[in-house]
Amino acid sequence: MERVFNFNAGPATLPLAVLEEAQREMLNYKGTGMSVMEISHRSKEYEAINNEAEANMKELLGLGDNYRVLFLQGGASTQFAMVPMSFLGAGQTADYILTGSWSEKALKEAQKFGQTHVAATTQEGNYVRIPKADEIQLSEAPAYIHLTSNNTIFGTQWQSFPDFGDIPLIADMSSDILCKPFDANKFALIYAGAQKNLGPSGVTVVIIRQDMIEKASTKLPSMLRYDIHAKNNSLYNTPPSFSVYMVNLVLRWLKAQGGLAAMEKQNVEKAALIYDVIDGSNGYYKGHADKDSRSTMNITFRLPNEDLEKAFASEATKAGLIGLKGHRSVGGMRASTYNALPREGCQALADFMKAFMQKNG
């Protein structure tokens, strides 16, 4: 079987072991005579998947009974609106830290529902870095603070998270969730579209503290209410059952790899293979992100001109290195090196970059 190295930003590569397990269970899940895609979401078999996925996520993040894990739909883009609809009340202000396109979109949605304040932004430098702690200027009494943990388009990532005390901290972690250990108890709510680092597209994971469930607005349509989804264990309506099943397989795989500390070690080593080529190229490859803000999940860089970038992407594809073209808004190259991408893929890309530079330098 011929497999390529998939550097797409999302939907993205999945662990081969997970795909093979899903393949084995595809036609007959645990003796039911049905696929997971066919069984009722009210069945004991599916409820077991749902419950295990929540337990596995909480175990990996070190969270207790004061948090719930919800499996929703609509992507992170729906959470951009659902968060302010739920927590931004009349006369309140929500603070947003801008580090790229997705945080801008989150802010734009919040502005439709109430007062907002930009607590920090690195837009002026075209988002080459994460704001420093002393650059963050909060409003007087924010209802919550929102940040985006990793920026897929610009290739920047929070290396550590600020502590805002009792002010609820909310994060979009779609592209780097579970890539490294962090104190998840700092956060009142975390959301993540699954299609980058958790599983296939179709399910959005929301990790929410119990007090936030209790304070969320109840004047919203039922499908936009965190309390209803929590009360019904993410089964208020028919869930994206196969996607949740796949997320649970990925969570099992992460545990088998040694958890988040082991993943961080692998991810740092993988990213270094590529960053070392960039840094040693005498400017032939130019990284977008400042070194102290570099992402281990999305590595962005430019070549000397656009013709070389087109040739690079084309030749890489022929070499089995897929999805390296940068986002249309910034151009250049982007290598997404999520948890599931094997080290061999990063080594193959690093070798290709060296050979391309030698040939076209």
Side-chain angles (χ1 to χ4, degrees):
M1 179 177 61
E2 191 68 30
R3 294 275 296 172
V4 299
F5 291 119
N6 178 4
F7 293 93
N8 277 304
T13 190
L14 288 164
L16 184 58
V18 166
L19 293 172
E20 289 173 337
E21 185 171 358
Q23 183 183 47
R24 287 192 298 271
E25 295 182 328
M26 178 63 73
L27 300 181
N28 184 5
Y29 178 70
K30 296 193 180 304
T32 61
M34 297 177 285
S35 169
V36 170
M37 291 184 281
E38 299 174 298
I39 62 176
S40 169
H41 63 293
R42 304 295 180 194
S43 67
K44 67 181 190 300
E45 290 85 4
Y46 182 73
E47 288 193 14
I49 292 169
N50 193 71
N51 293 340
E52 185 189 346
E54 177 169 10
N56 282 336
M57 179 67 77
K58 288 167 72 171
E59 179 183 342
L60 284 163
L61 291 174
L63 295 174
D65 292 339
N66 60 326
Y67 282 85
R68 292 299 311 274
V69 180
L70 309 177
F71 301 104
L72 308 183
Q73 298 174 67
S77 295
T78 295
Q79 294 303 306
F80 294 165
M82 197 164 161
V83 164
M85 290 171 79
S86 299
F87 304 116
L88 183 52
Q92 293 182 309
T93 300
D95 285 15
Y96 280 72
I97 300 173
L98 302 186
T99 51
S101 300
W102 298 111
S103 53
E104 285 181 355
K105 289 183 178 181
L107 171 66
K108 187 175 180 180
E109 290 297 274
Q111 289 171 337
K112 298 173 182 177
F113 302 103
Q115 186 71 32
T116 60
H117 166 72
V118 176
T121 178
T122 53
Q123 182 184 29
E124 187 175 331
N126 198 24
Y127 294 124
V128 297
R129 63 181 180 88
I130 298 297
K132 295 177 174 59
D134 61 5
E135 294 177 301
I136 301 172
Q137 302 294 321
L138 301 181
S139 62
E140 188 174 338
Y144 62 84
I145 302 162
H146 181 283
L147 61 79
T148 305
S149 60
N150 183 77
N151 304 286
T152 55
I153 292 175
F154 297 98
T156 61
Q157 183 178 31
W158 289 83
Q159 307 303 308
S160 61
F161 295 111
D163 193 330
F164 297 109
D166 293 333
I167 305 170
L169 180 57
I170 296 176
D172 174 0
M173 294 193 179
S174 293
S175 55
D176 72 342
I177 191 168
L178 304 184
C179 78
K180 60 181 178 180
F182 69 98
D183 184 4
N185 287 280
K186 273 187 177 182
F187 293 86
L189 188 152
I190 295 166
Y191 60 89
Q195 69 275 9
K196 298 178 184 294
N197 223 24
L198 283 177
S201 59
V203 62
T204 309
V205 176
V206 173
I207 301 149
I208 182 170
R209 205 169 59 207
Q210 188 64 42
D211 65 292
M212 296 295 283
I213 295 173
E214 294 165 0
K215 74 163 64 170
S217 173
T218 57
K219 298 179 180 180
L220 302 173
S222 297
M223 283 295 291
L224 298 175
R225 284 177 54 180
Y226 292 112
D227 63 321
I228 286 179
H229 288 297
K231 181 181 178 182
N232 289 276
N233 295 321
S234 303
L235 299 174
Y236 174 72
N237 69 316
T238 305
S241 52
F242 189 76
S243 294
V244 176
Y245 159 77
M246 289 294 290
V247 166
N248 190 44
L249 293 187
V250 171
L251 296 175
R252 285 184 190 172
W253 175 82
L254 280 167
K255 289 168 63 176
Q257 299 300 303
L260 303 193
M263 289 313 305
E264 179 179 38
K265 182 175 184 296
Q266 292 181 35
N267 288 329
V268 168
E269 292 174 355
K270 283 159 44 181
L273 293 171
I274 301 168
Y275 281 126
D276 285 351
V277 175
I278 294 171
D279 293 341
S281 71
N282 291 318
Y284 186 82
Y285 296 112
K286 180 174 172 53
H288 178 81
D290 286 356
K291 287 186 179 182
D292 61 359
S293 294
R294 280 175 166 175
S295 171
T296 57
M297 296 287 98
N298 306 99
I299 300 170
T300 53
F301 58 96
R302 301 298 304 255
L303 277 76
N305 59 62
E306 290 187 4
D307 288 341
L308 282 171
E309 290 172 347
K310 289 177 183 176
F312 183 98
S314 176
E315 292 181 27
T317 298
K318 292 174 185 175
L321 307 171
I322 305 300
L324 287 164
K325 187 178 179 182
H327 191 272
R328 62 187 178 277
S329 64
V330 295
M333 301 292 117
R334 172 176 58 184
S336 296
T337 53
Y338 300 127
N339 288 348
L341 186 80
R343 180 188 176 94
E344 293 80 6
C346 293
Q347 185 64 64
L349 175 57
D351 292 343
F352 175 84
M353 290 171 70
K354 292 174 187 174
F356 187 89
M357 180 174 63
Q358 189 172 18
K359 176 183 173 184
N360 300 280

